[in-house]
Amino acid sequence: MQRMLGHDPSTTLDYYADRFDDDLDEVANRLNSARADFATAYSLRTESGAEVSDLREMRG
């Protein structure tokens, strides 16, 4: 969009930066949720003692 309108980066940030505050909160919430899911999965994998190579062998 920036390129289409011929705006330089500072114009784009000056004009659009405050337009999507709620969207940024949603992105942050989703990233935090994904991080928590990854941490849980990693914890379960390491607690079971399974290594990545073990999991690959199990899959065949």
Side-chain angles (χ1 to χ4, degrees):
M1 183 62 87
Q2 174 182 329
R3 212 174 322 150
M4 262 178 38
L5 295 173
H7 292 166
D8 62 22
S10 63
T11 301
T12 302
L13 289 173
D14 289 344
Y15 187 76
Y16 295 107
D18 62 340
R19 303 265 184 232
F20 306 104
D21 286 341
D22 293 340
D23 293 336
L24 294 177
D25 290 340
E26 180 63 23
V27 168
N29 289 336
R30 288 182 183 206
L31 285 171
N32 190 46
S33 178
R35 183 207 50 82
D37 291 346
F38 175 80
T40 300
Y42 182 79
S43 174
L44 291 171
R45 183 182 68 83
T46 56
E47 286 176 11
S48 69
E51 295 296 325
V52 173
S53 60
D54 296 336
L55 296 173
R56 286 185 185 142
E57 288 174 16
M58 290 171 53
R59 281 195 312 197

